[in-house]
Structure formats: C-alpha cells, structure tokens
Amino acid sequence: IGAALMDEAEARARAAGAAWVVGDTARPAAHLIALYTARGYAIVEHVRWPGKVYESVVLAKPLSADARPAPR
C-alpha cells in the first residue's frame, strides 16, 4: 500500500466522521507492521480469523486528538 493511498483512506474516514481507522495484516508481515506503526498505528489485538491458518495483527490509529481509547 502506498503512502498516498493510506493518506486518502485516512482523509476519507476523517471526513466521514470516523474517530479511528483500523486495519489488519498477517503477523509474519513485519514490514507491513512497521509501515503501519511508522504512520501512527498501534497494535490493539492479535486474532486468528476464521478460515485462516495464520494470526493477524489488528492496528488502530486515532483520527483526532480527542478520540476515545483504541477500539478492541
């Protein structure tokens, strides 16, 4: 995912009134986890989605300074 696409997705979520943006990636994808965390996302959960053979990392980023605590 390019930075411009992530910027656009975050801007659209903010414009729609979202307080948080949340995504997930496979736990072995360290490069993607690093990309998300460098953009201000924090790991909020590890989950194995039904039908998947790997664990995912769920990451969340507040879209405003007054956002409530991270979703779980």
Side-chain angles (χ1 to χ4, degrees):
I1 297 176
L5 286 175
M6 290 184 76
D7 290 343
E8 179 68 18
E10 291 169 9
R12 287 183 183 208
R14 193 176 289 108
W20 289 86
V21 63
V22 179
D24 77 317
T25 191
R27 188 172 186 179
H31 66 292
L32 294 176
I33 295 168
L35 176 111
Y36 279 107
T37 56
R39 291 186 58 88
Y41 288 75
I43 296 172
V44 295
E45 187 173 6
H46 293 88
V47 63
R48 181 166 298 185
W49 301 113
K52 300 298 180 187
V53 296
Y54 58 85
E55 189 172 73
S56 291
V57 176
V58 179
L59 301 105
K61 176 181 178 177
L63 295 176
S64 67
D66 60 344
R68 293 182 177 171
R72 290 246 178 224

